Structure formats: structure tokens, C-alpha cells
């Protein structure tokens, strides 16, 4: 099969790899039809996180089951499915409630150099299929379905853990695919006002089109303070998690408010301004996506037309042009939010 491979230099290539073998009686093999390039993948590409030579990358996939183990009950061969970016043992409490990041035996991510291969490939082995897969109706296009693997479930988790509810004010930092979805998720959960910031003007314009109030200067915390008459926002969703964005979150959230972090920070420690956080009685929450839990709410909302997923995927390329897709994403140009690769 063909697969997208990344080397330690950040170079991307297509390589022929052996077809995956069955991951056991509770697993399946997926013929991948569409797979996304995520901002998390760029951390390897840009060198923010260490990358080994020959890394099979990608953790977002939509495809068809072509081989199912005898103990798989929720899906069958021929079913179109979304693959969760994160999996667990399938049996513990965390897995049962749809939050494999809290799996008792440890969570695994596709395409991060562990036991699970990357999803940017023609075939993908998926263990514990009954908890890792979501059967997806044909009415949902690839562009929407692939977001359920990560980029929509992640900000939904962030908004839920940030306790976004009716009438609250929210600040979203970073307006890539996750940030754009975060704006929409916050409104879906009842936020009265959503502020948003990204240094790229076109990304701010997309968020504005979704109803957000955006800022075009670097002094975001001061602008939020002015806009909220000195109070600050109830919730900050940080989809970037740099030192700068985290400092901004602490400064912009109101006393007693919540910061919900889903961005991927670098390996260097962050010097948390703990005194300021304590004096403001801030609640700080950090999350990997509770993907399966989010599916229970997101899929009905999408099917009912209540949650808009249009415009998040900006480019669609064949798998063999993955190097071009990574270049587009890494350039962070005004017209590129997320690239979808098709097999």
C-alpha cells in the first residue's frame, strides 16, 4: 500500500509499505478514502516535536471496513466509518464513557510513532473497533466526516470541559481548523459572545462569518478586557498553547473563569504565572479529545443541519500530493485552513 512518510528532517514522501495485518479478533482493516492533515502533524513537520525517520503519519481517517475480526459487533465489512484519532483498551471506565485519553492502560494515537500506524495511507489497521469507529451515513461528505476524527471533537471537548453554557462569553485563541470549529461549538452550546484572535486576517474573517467578534492586534487580553468592561471572559479556549497564548489566556479570563487548553505545547516547560492564576481563582483544564463522547452529540447535530462544518476544509489533494499539502499547511497562508487527502 501507499503511505505518507515523514523523516526527521521534516521531509514528506510517499512510500510503499506492507499492507497491515489484522489487529486481532476485535479489530478491523479500513480502506482509507479520505484523511486530513492536522495542525498536530505540523509539529513534527516544523520540528517542534521530535520525529524519527520513516514515521507513518496522520490520525484522521474516513474509509470503508474491508476486513473485520470475529468479535467486532458494531461495524461490518462494507460499512463507511470514521476512525477516532485516539484509542484505548476498549474495556475500562474511560473507554466506556467515550474518553480514551483517560484509559486505565494508556491511550494510543494513530501516526505518532507508537504502536498505531499513520492514517495517511491506503489501508489502516484499527484495534478495538467497536469503540474506535463511528459508522457514518453517506449523507455526510468526507469534508465533514473527517472532522469528526479530531478537529471537531477536540474543540467540542474543550468547550464542554470549559463549561461553555448559555449566556457565557468565550475567547478562542488560534483560528486554524480547531479554532474555527471551536467558535462554532461555543455558539452551539449557547455562548452569548465569542471573541477570537489569530494573526492571519483571512482566518479572522472566517471566524467573523461564523458570528465571532475578532481582534486584529496583538494586545488581545487588553482588547478583551475593554470589550467586557473590565471583567474578562468566562471561558478561554486555547487552540494554540504557546507561551504567548497561555499568558494571554490567563490575562483575558475573568476572576473565577476557566481556561480550556487543547493546543499542543512544545517540549520546553511553560512558566505558568501561578500567582496571577491563584489570585484570580482560575480553573485550568487541559484535554485530549474525548472523541467518542463527542460523537454522541456532534453526529446528530450535523445530520440535523444544526452545526455547520462547511469551509473548514480549504484544499483537497490526492494522497500522492501529500508533500504539497504539508507545504500549504506549514505556510499558514490566508487561503489554507485544512488539507484533505484522498486515496
Amino acid at each position: 500500500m501507499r503511505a505518507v512518510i515523514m523523516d526527521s528532517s521534516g521531509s514528506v514522501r510517499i512510500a510503499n509499505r506492507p499492507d497491515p495485518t489484522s489487529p486481532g479478533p476485535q479489530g478491523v482493516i479500513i480502506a482509507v478514502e479520505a484523511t486530513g492533515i492536522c495542525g498536530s502533524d505540523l509539529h513534527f513537520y516544523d520540528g517542534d516535536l521530535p520525529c524519527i525517520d520513516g514515521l507513518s503519519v496522520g490520525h484522521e481517517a474516513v474509509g470503508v471496513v474491508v476486513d473485520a475480526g470475529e468479535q467486532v459487533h458494531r461495524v461490518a465489512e462494507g460499512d463507511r466509518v470514521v476512525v477516532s484519532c485516539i484509542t484505548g483498551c476498549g474495556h475500562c471506565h474511560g473507554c466506556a464513557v467515550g474518553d480514551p485519553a483517560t484509559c486505565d492502560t494508556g491511550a494510543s494515537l494513530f501516526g505518532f510513532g507508537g504502536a498505531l500506524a499513520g492514517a495517511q495511507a491506503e489501508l489502516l489497521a484499527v484495534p478495538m473497533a467497536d469503540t474506535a469507529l463511528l459508522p457514518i451515513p453517506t449523507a455526510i461528505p468526507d469534508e465533514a466526516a473527517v472532522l469528526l476524527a479530531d478537529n471537531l471533537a477536540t474543540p467540542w471537548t474543550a468547550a464542554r470541559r470549559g463549561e461553555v453554557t448559555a449566556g457565557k462569553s468565550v475567547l478562542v485563541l488560534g483560528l486554524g481548523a480547531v479554532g474555527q470549529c471551536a467558535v462554532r461549538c461555543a455558539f452551539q452550546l449557547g455562548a452569548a459572545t465569542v471573541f477570537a484572535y489569530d494573526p492571519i486576517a483571512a482566518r479572522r474573517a472566517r471566524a467573523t462569518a461564523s458570528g465571532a467578534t475578532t481582534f486584529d492586534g496583538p494586545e488581545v487580553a487588553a482588547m478583551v478586557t475593554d470589550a467586557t468592561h473590565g471583567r474578562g471572559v468566562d471561558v478561554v479556549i486555547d487552540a494554540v498553547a504557546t507561551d504567548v497564548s497561555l499568558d494571554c489566556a490567563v490575562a483575558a479570563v475573568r476572576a473565577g473563569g476557566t481556561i480550556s487548553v487543547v493546543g499542543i505545547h512544545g517540549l520546553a516547560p511553560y512558566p505558568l504565572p501561578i500567582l496571577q492564576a491563584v489570585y484570580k481563582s482560575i480553573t485550568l483544564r487541559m484535554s485530549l479529545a474525548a472523541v467518542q463522547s463527542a460523537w454522541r452529540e456532534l453526529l446528530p447535530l450535523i445530520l440535523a443541519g444544526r452545526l455547520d462544518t462547511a469551509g473548514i476544509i480549504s484544499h483537497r489533494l490526492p494522497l500522492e500530493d501529500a508533500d504539497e499539502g504539508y507545504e500549504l499547511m506549514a505556510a499558514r497562508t490566508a487561503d489554507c485552513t485544512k488539507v484533505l487527502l484522498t486515496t
Side-chain angles (χ1 to χ4, degrees):
M1 69 170 185
R2 295 175 305 155
V4 179
I5 302 300
M6 190 180 296
D7 292 322
S8 57
S9 63
S11 61
V12 171
R13 55 191 168 88
I14 300 295
N16 288 318
R17 288 288 177 92
D19 290 354
T21 57
S22 171
Q26 295 178 303
V28 303
I29 303 293
I30 303 296
V32 177
E33 294 183 334
T35 176
I37 299 178
C38 179
S40 298
D41 299 324
L42 293 183
H43 289 293
F44 295 118
Y45 187 81
D46 292 336
D48 299 327
L49 295 177
C51 177
I52 60 172
D53 285 334
L55 178 65
S56 172
V57 290
H59 54 271
E60 304 171 340
V62 177
V64 174
V65 177
V66 294
D67 184 22
E70 59 186 17
Q71 295 178 27
V72 175
H73 304 295
R74 292 188 61 244
V75 299
E77 292 181 18
D79 285 352
R80 180 173 180 251
V81 295
V82 172
V83 183
S84 170
C85 65
I86 183 171
T87 68
C89 71
H91 304 294
C92 69
H93 174 75
C95 291
V97 299
D99 189 5
T102 63
C103 176
D104 288 348
T105 59
S108 296
L109 290 160
F110 289 94
F112 272 71
L116 301 179
Q120 293 168 13
E122 292 180 305
L123 296 170
L124 182 66
V126 181
M128 308 311 302
D130 282 344
T131 56
L133 300 179
L134 174 69
I136 197 81
T138 56
I140 296 182
D142 290 343
E143 286 81 357
V146 78
L147 297 177
L148 288 165
D150 178 8
N151 280 181
L152 190 55
T154 290
W156 188 263
T157 300
R160 280 295 196 198
R161 295 206 70 202
E163 299 182 355
V164 177
T165 54
K168 287 193 174 180
S169 58
V170 178
L171 169 64
V172 176
L173 296 173
L175 294 170
V178 169
Q180 298 290 341
C181 288
V183 170
R184 301 178 192 191
C185 290
F187 278 124
Q188 182 64 49
L189 290 169
T193 305
V194 177
F195 300 104
Y197 174 72
D198 191 285
I200 300 175
R203 293 185 175 182
R204 296 197 300 271
R206 290 190 189 96
T208 300
S210 295
T213 300
T214 60
F215 302 110
D216 61 1
E219 300 301 323
V220 179
M223 293 178 180
V224 168
T225 300
D226 288 344
T228 56
H229 308 289
R231 183 171 185 265
V233 291
D234 298 305
V235 183
V236 179
I237 297 175
D238 188 348
V240 187
T242 62
D243 287 6
V244 172
S245 69
L246 290 165
D247 285 347
C248 177
V250 172
V253 74
R254 68 167 174 82
T258 300
I259 299 171
S260 187
V261 182
V262 287
I264 304 297
H265 193 272
L267 295 178
Y270 166 60
L272 176 68
I274 193 69
L275 183 62
Q276 184 182 11
V278 168
Y279 270 102
K280 293 179 75 173
S281 296
I282 291 170
T283 297
L284 177 61
R285 289 179 170 160
M286 302 183 183
S287 310
L288 286 176
V291 178
Q292 290 86 333
S293 175
W295 283 345
R296 298 164 189 166
E297 298 172 313
L298 291 172
L299 182 59
L301 288 169
I302 293 172
L303 286 170
R306 295 279 307 279
L307 183 59
D308 181 22
T309 60
I312 303 299
I313 302 293
S314 57
H315 292 73
R316 187 180 179 116
L317 297 171
L319 188 71
E320 56 265 26
D321 291 340
D323 57 342
E324 179 184 347
Y326 272 89
E327 288 176 5
L328 283 167
M329 289 281 290
R332 295 169 175 83
T333 57
D335 65 337
C336 183
T337 305
K338 186 174 181 65
V339 174
L340 187 74
L341 302 175
T342 57
T343 59

